[in-house]
Amino acid sequence: MIVAPDGWHRQCVFALGRKGRGLRMAKARAGGVAVVMGAEELGVVMPGDLRERLRESTGRVVRAKAVQSSEGGENAPWLEGLEGMEGLEGPDWLGDVEVLVTGWGCPPLTKAVLDRAPRLRAVVHAAGSVKWLVTEEVWERGIVVSSAAGVNAGPVADFTLALITLAAKDALPMAAAYANGRWPAFTERRGADGRTVGVIGASRIGRGVMAGLRTSAAGYRVLLYDPYVTAEDAERLGAEYVSCLADLCRASDIVTVHAPETPETRRLLDEQHLALIPDGGTVINTARGSIVDTGALERECAAGRLSAWLDVTDPEPLQKERPLLSLPNVMVTPHIAGAQGSEGRRLGVWAVEEVKRWMRGERLLGEVRREELGRLA
């Protein structure tokens, strides 16, 4: 098979005719690329100029589908075609797609979806976790999966490092005191130097956070708890290895969560472990809400013993009457740590380059393997 610059595959077929062997050329169109994500996300992550860049650099037809929030599910309207794109209406618009670029808002890739995409060979996810997107059917069909989780980790690590700095300076209780008319004396103020930060999980984000702490002038003491790393691994990451979560909690001024969401990590930071964190300590969670026992943390913060910075909660979103949303020593943000606003374009740029790598037969930078999925966020 010859791949021509115009994106056509030219298939050489030997045919036997009455005059002997001859060579005839058949022209078959190369598979297309489809971009499917939420209506709000599409214009930020994969706007028109990036889709045009993808088309020009690959020579493939590039189609885009903005999925409305009401269109989820395997029998949803999004499967029926791309409105306003000539020749693509109807149930077969995925029929010649080889590469699917997905993002937040794309429905799960169920059997019903994949049956309509018989030529699909690669899924490039321009967002973080693929757990909710990729089904067993994807792996069974041998479809390659790649994720921009590594790119999305950068903003989350930066966000977490900012929260650690604020926590180390007791920003929340200081702000509450100021709001109540009390100007803290100089001797009441706390700095970051020498504070101990306990990191739960050596994930991409956890490693990014540890790298930032390691280069900080504050001289943080960093502890790491992760059952999948060794003491040598922790040392290379600039942290002290802790084999027991309870020991990490006892020794940490600030506990920051970066573990994946799995059955084993659900409520990993439970009532017993929260009680071990020293008085005046802080819990930071930019991972998944279910890893922390929300009710137990709420009680500790309501008693004034702990403070918390939470970008994720369980449930999410929290009901507006929950005390966590109004306590002066708690800050809850609406899952904004990952790529947001102008940062979203990073994911799209990465996706374009990852598709190009796949088409050139190169190693994918964000490849997700089936056996690794259980340990990923």
Side-chain angles (χ1 to χ4, degrees), residues 121-141:
R121 296 170 60 197
V123 174
V124 175
H125 189 53
S129 175
V130 297
K131 283 186 174 180
W132 57 270
L133 175 73
V134 174
T135 64
E136 280 298 310
E137 192 71 21
V138 172
W139 305 116
E140 291 298 324
R141 298 185 186 213

Side-chain angles (χ1 to χ4, degrees), residues 27-49:
K27 200 174 185 182
R29 186 65 175 170
V33 178
V35 180
V36 180
M37 56 186 67
E40 293 183 358
E41 290 81 1
L42 181 64
V44 174
V45 176
M46 283 291 289
D49 68 301

Side-chain angles (χ1 to χ4, degrees), residues 145-170:
V145 178
S146 185
S147 165
V151 179
N152 193 52
V156 182
D158 290 344
F159 187 86
T160 305
L161 287 165
L163 298 186
I164 289 172
T165 301
L166 291 167
K169 288 179 171 288
D170 282 350

Side-chain angles (χ1 to χ4, degrees), residues 337-348:
Q340 304 282 294
S342 60
E343 299 163 346
R345 185 178 175 87
R346 298 186 204 179
L347 306 175

